[in-house]
Amino acid sequence: MSEATQAKPELKALKSTLNLPVGGKDTPSDPVPKALKSTLNLPQTTFPMKANLPQNEPARLEAWQQQDLYAQIRTARAGQPKYILHDGPPYANGAIHLGHALNKCIKDFVVKTKTMAGFDAPYVPGWDCHGLPIEIKVDEQLGRKKLEMDPIAVRRACREYAQKYVDLQRSQFERIGVFGRWNDPYLTMSFGYEASIVETFYDFFEKKFVYKGLKPVYWCIHDRTALAEAEVEYEQHTSPSVYVRYKLTSDPAAIDRALAGKDVYTIIWTTTPWTLPASQAVAFNPELDYVAFEDETTAETYIVAKELWGRVVAACPALRVEATNVNYYLAKFPGSKLEGTTFQHPFLDRSILGVTADYVTAEQGTGAVHTSPAHGVDDFYTGQRYKLPEIQYVDNAGKQRHTDLHGGQPGEPYEGLTVFKSNAPIIELLRERGALLSDTSFEHSYPHCWRCHNPVIVRATEQWFIGMETPMITDEGTVTTFRQRALDEIKKVVWDPAWGEERISNMIATRPDWCISRQRIWGVPIAVFLCDKCGEPLNEPAVNKSIVDLFKKEGADAWYARDVASLLPAGTACAGCGHKEFRKEMDILDVWFESGSSWHAVLDLEPELHSPADLYTEGGDQHRGWFHSSLLTSVAVRNHAPYKMVATSGWTLDEQGRAFSKSLGNGVDPVDIAKRLGGEIIRLWVASVDFREDVAASENLMQRVSDNYRKLRNTLRFLLGNIHDFNPEEHSIAFSAMQPLDQYILARTAELDAKIRAAYDSFEFHRAYHALNEYVNTDLSALYLDVLKDRLYTFAPNHPGRRSAQTALWRIAETLTRLIAPILSFTADEVWALLPKSATRESSVHLALFPAMSEIIPGTTRQLEEDWDQLLTLRDEVLKVLEEARTAKTISNKPSETQIVLGWLNSVAERPNPVFEQYKSILPELFGVAQVEISNAIVTEGTVEKGAFYVQAKPAAGSKCERCWRFTEDVSQEANYPTVCLRCADALEAIHFPPYDAPSSNSTEPQA
Ligand SMILES: [Zn+2]
Ligand SMILES: [Zn+2]
Ligand SMILES: [Zn+2]
């Protein structure tokens, strides 16, 4: 098929979108003879109006892959200054969601804008592959089978699962046009990365940041693992609410003489009755006032905080107290008097110690706090102060295991139940023993596991920790702490938005020691040998290094596959006790430690990258996640932050500001949008929002972006269509010789270039998007392209006026294509292929640089722009007058049949306006009218005053040219072309159009 026939249907559709200067498509009897019409230079392009993105984008992706465009870009920028955006690894679980798409598009915009600004900006994407969510999914798939599988087999299943989602997400990220080293990403489960993780751990270990200790940690009994602070979310939860009395067993008179000989109790309030079997103490606030009051029926005496007395009595119907005012208590004393008292456990054979703690308040409860060091953070530290037993009574699965331990009698009714199920039998037991004063329920905000959303518990367990107060040496040689070094490094980083600095600083300042151990299989083991006799960890750098080398070869599986004898040199002895038998630690590292080591595993070790990175950019939740763990590992090991700048994005929400959820059905799936509207639409949507804030997305908004895309595409199509016969080397016109309007639009284009590049430099892609839209709508559509049609279509093809316009259109197309390439990567490349070629031109726009200002305009255009400020003000007035005159029917509907008369008011000294006079010849084009007269007449009737000048619209003089349809006074002056104006006659002559006779009344066809 020839090009001409291919282009034909295109041409028709395109033409229908234009306001043709020759009467338009709806004229009943087309007054332009067919043969004359064929002499018009109408747009021609193979760039289709309908983008067909869902079909065409995959084809372009394949072409890019075949050319290995990413490798070509690397080669093109080799040796240039580096810009390293380090990818935060998404978790290899499930398909991508809109948040992923937002994140990857922002990164792609950064990398592409840096590349086009001349930087060598490699992008190595990564995935977080280890960890609980994958292990849980694999558990579900394996079911009971898992029990018979060895850890290696389970790990293999997890690896396959992760790889499957790495592959899926990779294809989805590529589909939306994200460039990167997709054929060789970094995976935290690759052998090399696993080796780097233990290497980083050993760095901490050898520098004495790591200790093993008992600590209260959040524990998910469903997932059977410790959870980091970052892995806990607060949700509403209904708990029992019980008031329980503890009988005083020490001398009541020691508290207050008034209590001598009395039967005394204190009352505790708890929402976790399951912790009562682990109860070791009752805590009182030493500064608070407490009262002792008497039950009127039993004469039993109760001690509670004075401020809470009334509320306790009201909450406990079992108590008989008529009044709770100041006159009715037996004694009042400070909480400090209760330190050292002893109580009887309500159902176990155990003595409970009275202790003091300042976290006890009079806000709720009784002022007497039941304390179980194994199950509360505050309790744990109170227990340490009073040397209370911290015995763990609850196993990994959250089951009560008390029998034979510390006062538990065999066959306790709660034995073997999970903690939440054990509440009921424990409450029953309290009732039987007469210790229960009240039993209701209570809804409150309670910590839940972020993975499985089950309520979590606090449990004292043996864990590995990184100590935040580990001593470190500053650059100045002074001693400080790890925490302080991290805080100091935060100040050296650029945080965008700026509040990120305070946020992460607060988190680092207040965080507890970093619990890095997890009791799972799918991860990198804390590869430490423990003395079988004394439990002391072996810390031999040579041994550690041999494990790193082994992991490089065999992966972390080696820890599971090999026994101690094959891992440790023979004769290795414990530094503590000299014993020679060791066991392997089987806990794995926190996944945040893994991804947080990527500055080493990826940036340090990949030759094309380096640490610190120029930019980390992720969601705002990563101040407590990846930014946080990366900072800590890098500061500990390298003594500096791993990044120079951190930018954070907000959440993706629906138009009402709600989170996406299945039940609301408000989700926007990027894969689906790419399939229906195109990957380009997601990219343009990302560019349209300020990612620093929460961003709205919906089907509706995607459609709106799609409409904007269509407008932009049509503009690009107009540009391409009108330079189809333009060869820059042959036809371009020097700036100084260009038409003023063409010069002006190039000055505007240069401004756009500066504006967009400044926006790109500060990663304000939404500013670039808005600047682009404004330029396309205001400068191009409403002005330049509108008025240009007469010159483009009716002038002889080679007329300097037309070539001037084409020179501008070509430069605009070049500029726009490069400027939009980082965002509209598919479309820009499509346009690029259709722009005029030259020997030095890059094969893809993605290999090109942003246009330099000097490529668009030669220098300052200040005077030009000042003139145009006046001319455009005048144009606005003229357009208003034309509209008014049309409404009043003093002129026809066609500007081409209209004359504009400009005049000046009497009072204006300088007339005519020198600017208007200077540009007089282009005014008809600028107004789109047939003629413009500048009159020296004073204001007359029928004119409209516009400040210093007046504008009058009236029917044009002369007659209509059959070709351009303008009214002129020179129609039929050229004998060879008797029905057209002189300008058109020149054009016809220039293309050697055959002369013809004046038409007879029944024929408009010129002679052939
Ligand atoms: Zn869980
Ligand atoms: Zn030992
Ligand atoms: Zn004409």
Side-chain angles (χ1 to χ4, degrees):
M1 200 190 272
S2 81
E3 216 176 15
T5 46
Q6 259 180 343
K8 218 162 181 185
E10 293 288 327
L11 204 60
K12 209 167 168 191
L14 176 59
K15 212 157 101 184
S16 70
T17 67
L18 299 172
N19 310 312
L20 291 182
V22 285
K25 59 192 159 78
D26 294 322
T27 317
S29 60
D30 195 338
V32 185
K34 238 188 196 156
L36 279 185
K37 200 163 167 181
S38 72
T39 68
L40 297 172
N41 312 302
L42 294 181
Q44 289 178 27
T45 178
T46 54
F47 184 75
M49 181 157 61
K50 193 166 182 316
N52 253 330
L53 296 174
Q55 287 74 42
N56 290 338
E57 286 173 348
R60 193 160 293 274
L61 283 170
E62 204 168 305
W64 285 340
Q65 214 147 46
Q66 271 165 16
Q67 307 154 12
D68 201 351
L69 180 58
Y70 179 75
Q72 285 190 50
I73 295 171
R74 292 280 63 72
T75 309
R77 291 294 176 278
Q80 297 305 308
K82 288 260 185 194
Y83 186 89
I84 307 296
L85 184 164
H86 181 39
D87 189 37
Y91 197 66
N93 181 15
I96 67 166
H97 55 65
L98 195 63
H100 288 127
L102 176 83
N103 175 267
K104 278 290 194 281
C105 284
I106 293 165
K107 289 172 180 169
D108 195 44
F109 296 170
V110 170
V111 169
K112 282 178 179 153
T113 54
K114 290 295 175 190
T115 300
M116 293 192 73
F119 289 90
D120 180 12
Y123 177 60
V124 179
W127 274 275
D128 207 354
C129 305
H130 291 131
L132 195 59
I134 289 175
E135 196 174 336
I136 289 170
K137 290 278 183 200
V138 171
D139 279 3
E140 282 166 12
Q141 286 173 5
L142 295 174
R144 296 187 63 81
K145 224 168 73 191
K146 190 194 177 190
L147 300 172
E148 293 119 49
M149 290 167 68
D150 68 9
I152 297 281
V154 175
R155 288 172 61 88
R156 193 178 308 126
C158 290
R159 183 175 289 277
E160 282 163 12
Y161 181 95
Q163 187 63 50
K164 177 179 149 190
Y165 286 103
V166 166
D167 293 341
L168 176 71
Q169 292 188 0
R170 168 169 39 205
S171 68
Q172 293 173 332
F173 287 138
E174 286 196 86
R175 175 62 190 83
I176 56 173
V178 179
F179 287 5
R181 205 178 76 186
W182 294 109
N183 59 359
D184 185 19
Y186 79 84
L187 304 181
T188 60
M189 67 178 179
S190 72
F191 291 178
Y193 198 112
E194 289 183 338
S196 295
I197 294 167
V198 277
E199 193 176 25
T200 305
F201 168 76
Y202 288 141
D203 247 317
F204 275 89
F205 190 45
E206 289 167 16
K207 288 178 178 161
K208 309 271 187 268
F209 282 83
V210 180
Y211 67 94
K212 199 172 187 193
L214 199 63
K215 282 245 171 154
V217 292
Y218 286 115
W219 184 273
C220 176
I221 63 173
H222 178 260
D223 297 324
R224 302 186 190 189
T225 186
L227 296 172
E229 294 271 321
E231 295 169 332
V232 166
E233 289 174 349
Y234 281 79
E235 292 172 23
Q236 286 303 108
H237 180 70
T238 303
S239 298
S241 164
V242 296
Y243 288 81
V244 180
R245 65 181 193 176
Y246 278 41
K247 188 172 172 33
L248 184 76
T249 52
S250 57
D251 178 14
I255 301 168
D256 192 291
R257 215 171 298 164
L259 303 183
K262 299 274 181 192
D263 204 3
V264 180
Y265 296 82
T266 189
I267 303 172
I268 64 96
W269 172 69
T270 181
T271 58
T272 53
W274 64 265
T275 60
L276 287 171
S279 191
Q280 301 286 355
V282 178
F284 304 93
N285 185 320
E287 314 283 328
L288 272 183
D289 277 342
Y290 286 79
V291 293
F293 65 90
E294 209 167 59
D295 182 293
E296 288 160 9
T297 324
T298 63
E300 287 160 335
T301 300
Y302 293 92
I303 293 172
V304 295
K306 182 169 171 287
E307 276 180 62
L308 293 162
W309 179 19
R311 278 152 69 182
V312 173
V313 168
C316 299
L319 297 176
R320 292 280 172 274
V321 181
E322 273 304 312
T324 54
N325 68 40
V326 69
N327 302 317
Y328 288 85
Y329 55 74
L330 296 174
K332 185 186 86 166
F333 40 86
S336 55
K337 295 287 282 181
L338 297 163
E339 189 174 23
T341 51
T342 55
F343 297 86
Q344 174 57 45
H345 190 283
F347 53 84
L348 293 174
D349 180 15
R350 183 188 304 157
S351 181
I352 299 291
L353 186 65
V355 299
T356 59
D358 47 19
Y359 56 81
V360 177
T361 68
E363 272 161 33
Q364 58 179 3
T366 65
V369 175
H370 136 67
T371 301
S372 51
H375 295 302
V377 177
D378 287 337
D379 304 41
F380 181 85
Y381 295 108
T382 299
Q384 283 196 327
R385 274 196 294 128
Y386 288 93
K387 305 210 174 349
L388 299 173
E390 295 156 348
I391 290 113
Q392 183 58 257
Y393 300 96
V394 172
D395 70 10
N396 287 356
K399 291 199 169 128
Q400 300 270 15
R401 300 283 183 209
H402 287 254
T403 303
D404 301 330
L405 284 173
H406 297 268
Q409 283 90 42
E412 292 287 9
Y414 46 82
E415 189 67 9
L417 299 177
T418 59
V419 289
F420 299 111
K421 288 219 172 93
S422 71
N423 280 330
I426 287 169
I427 293 168
E428 212 34 57
L429 194 57
L430 292 168
R431 202 188 311 276
E432 279 169 24
R433 304 292 168 94
L436 186 68
L437 296 178
S438 169
D439 165 25
T440 55
S441 61
F442 179 67
E443 184 168 330
H444 59 148
S445 170
Y446 187 86
H448 284 66
C449 171
W450 76 337
R451 308 276 192 205
C452 69
H453 295 280
N454 283 303
V456 300
I457 64 172
V458 171
R459 192 170 170 260
T461 50
E462 195 155 75
Q463 301 289 344
W464 291 88
F465 291 90
I466 289 173
M468 292 302 297
E469 313 308 331
T470 307
M472 283 188 80
I473 308 293
T474 64
D475 293 340
E476 293 76 37
T478 56
V479 178
T480 183
T481 62
F482 177 32
R483 189 190 304 279
Q484 192 54 49
R485 274 298 302 130
L487 289 169
D488 291 346
E489 282 300 303
I490 288 171
K491 296 196 192 92
K492 299 179 189 166
V493 175
V494 176
W495 299 88
D496 181 16
W499 51 258
E501 177 173 349
E502 196 187 336
R503 188 178 159 90
I504 192 166
S505 294
N506 287 340
M507 285 173 172
I508 295 283
T510 58
R511 67 157 299 144
D513 285 352
W514 183 1
C515 175
I516 54 169
S517 49
R518 298 290 185 276
Q519 290 67 49
R520 303 295 300 193
I521 291 175
W522 181 227
V524 170
I526 295 176
V528 171
F529 299 93
L530 302 166
C531 172
D532 233 0
K533 196 171 162 201
C534 73
E536 178 91 359
L538 180 75
N539 196 346
E540 285 279 347
V543 170
N544 296 342
K545 189 171 179 312
S546 72
I547 299 296
V548 173
D549 292 340
L550 181 68
F551 278 20
K552 275 184 199 159
K553 274 183 250 135
E554 300 178 13
D557 281 357
W559 193 252
Y560 297 85
R562 291 167 171 267
D563 57 14
V564 175
S566 79
L567 292 166
L568 261 187
T572 308
C574 169
C577 72
H579 190 71
K580 290 182 177 164
E581 303 277 309
F582 291 88
R583 62 191 162 86
K584 294 178 287 182
E585 170 60 68
M586 297 311 289
D587 280 2
I588 60 169
L589 282 159
D590 177 12
V591 284
W592 290 115
F593 188 92
E594 297 197 0
S595 57
S597 303
S598 63
W599 57 265
H600 174 56
V602 183
L603 297 183
D604 270 2
L605 300 181
E606 296 275 354
E608 60 174 334
L609 306 176
H610 62 71
S611 172
D614 293 287
L615 178 68
Y616 276 38
T617 178
E618 305 296 333
D621 52 338
Q622 299 301 327
H623 288 120
R624 56 167 28 195
W626 190 55
F627 302 147
H628 192 119
S629 63
S630 297
L631 177 76
L632 291 182
T633 56
S634 179
V635 167
V637 176
R638 289 284 185 275
N639 211 5
H640 60 69
Y643 34 65
K644 293 178 192 162
M645 177 174 180
V646 173
T648 49
S649 52
W651 297 103
T652 50
L653 304 171
D654 74 5
E655 282 180 279
Q656 278 90 53
R658 299 173 303 184
F660 295 130
S661 80
K662 275 209 178 96
S663 57
L664 287 172
N666 59 352
V668 177
D669 173 11
V671 178
D672 167 64
I673 297 290
K675 215 178 273 174
R676 286 189 295 117
L677 302 175
E680 209 78 312
I681 302 306
I682 295 168
R683 302 178 65 87
L684 198 56
W685 167 75
V686 172
S688 76
V689 299
D690 182 358
F691 68 80
R692 291 158 186 79
E693 317 203 333
D694 289 346
V695 298
S698 66
E699 179 67 24
N700 178 35
L701 286 173
M702 292 294 167
Q703 291 291 351
R704 224 182 292 166
V705 169
S706 189
D707 290 344
N708 260 347
Y709 172 81
R710 217 165 300 144
K711 264 189 237 163
L712 183 64
R713 187 175 176 90
N714 274 339
T715 301
L716 293 167
R717 186 153 191 269
F718 184 92
L719 298 175
L720 286 172
N722 283 292
I723 54 174
H724 67 94
D725 63 339
F726 177 78
N727 174 357
E729 278 156 33
E730 211 179 313
H731 302 130
S732 58
I733 303 276
F735 186 83
S736 56
M738 287 172 84
Q739 291 274 308
L741 178 61
D742 303 334
Q743 291 177 332
Y744 169 71
I745 198 66
L746 287 184
R748 294 291 294 164
T749 308
E751 265 172 47
L752 175 79
D753 179 54
K755 217 186 267 181
I756 288 189
R757 293 193 53 187
Y760 283 164
D761 276 346
S762 53
F763 310 140
E764 293 183 296
F765 305 109
H766 61 294
R767 284 192 196 281
Y769 173 85
H770 292 302
L772 176 72
N773 276 338
E774 202 197 321
Y775 171 82
V776 165
N777 292 328
T778 310
D779 293 296
L780 292 187
S781 295
L783 170 68
Y784 187 60
L785 303 184
D786 188 43
V787 306
L788 209 55
K789 287 166 190 161
D790 182 50
R791 189 151 35 112
L792 284 172
Y793 299 164
T794 69
F795 282 27
N798 215 20
H799 189 286
R802 182 161 179 274
R803 293 305 189 197
S804 170
Q806 286 185 312
T807 305
L809 292 179
W810 166 63
R811 291 201 189 282
I812 291 168
E814 272 282 333
T815 304
L816 279 187
T817 306
R818 291 168 198 243
L819 287 178
I820 65 172
I823 292 167
L824 294 172
S825 299
F826 294 95
T827 307
D829 212 42
E830 189 184 355
V831 174
W832 186 259
L834 300 172
L835 284 170
K837 313 265 186 304
S838 74
T840 56
R841 190 180 174 76
E842 298 82 359
S843 61
S844 163
V845 67
H846 299 295
L847 296 163
L849 294 168
F850 283 133
M853 190 81 92
S854 60
E855 289 176 54
I856 309 169
I857 49 166
T860 176
T861 50
R862 200 148 155 205
Q863 184 58 51
L864 183 72
E865 292 193 63
E866 278 172 18
D867 291 353
W868 277 88
D869 270 352
Q870 291 197 51
L871 290 170
L872 292 176
T873 307
L874 175 63
R875 180 174 185 260
D876 287 345
E877 297 307 333
V878 169
L879 295 184
K880 271 186 231 159
V881 170
L882 281 171
E883 187 57 42
E884 286 159 13
R886 269 197 293 269
T887 309
K889 298 205 189 303
T890 55
I891 56 168
S892 80
N893 276 333
K894 301 187 180 86
S896 57
E897 297 174 1
T898 302
Q899 182 185 68
I900 287 291
V901 180
L902 297 178
W904 279 264
L905 297 178
N906 263 343
S907 57
V908 177
E910 189 180 40
R911 61 192 167 110
N913 177 313
V915 173
F916 298 171
E917 196 66 28
Q918 183 191 338
Y919 291 96
K920 187 179 169 188
S921 66
I922 65 157
L923 294 181
E925 177 181 58
L926 186 60
F927 306 153
V929 298
Q931 295 138 12
V932 174
E933 289 298 320
I934 295 185
S935 158
N936 272 328
I938 50 168
V939 181
T940 55
E941 240 179 289
T943 61
V944 182
E945 289 178 30
K946 295 295 171 192
F949 54 85
Y950 71 86
V951 178
Q952 184 186 15
K954 62 181 191 185
S959 54
K960 186 193 276 177
C961 165
E962 215 173 41
R963 180 167 175 271
C964 70
W965 225 23
R966 282 179 318 138
F967 264 57
T968 70
E969 290 178 287
D970 58 11
V971 173
S972 69
Q973 285 185 11
E974 169 56 56
N976 282 344
Y977 307 112
T979 61
V980 301
C981 68
L982 279 183
R983 206 181 70 190
C984 284
D986 284 350
L988 291 175
E989 200 176 353
I991 60 167
H992 310 294
F993 188 76
Y996 59 90
D997 292 333
S1000 61
S1001 58
N1002 59 0
S1003 165
T1004 53
E1005 287 293 310
Q1007 289 175 352

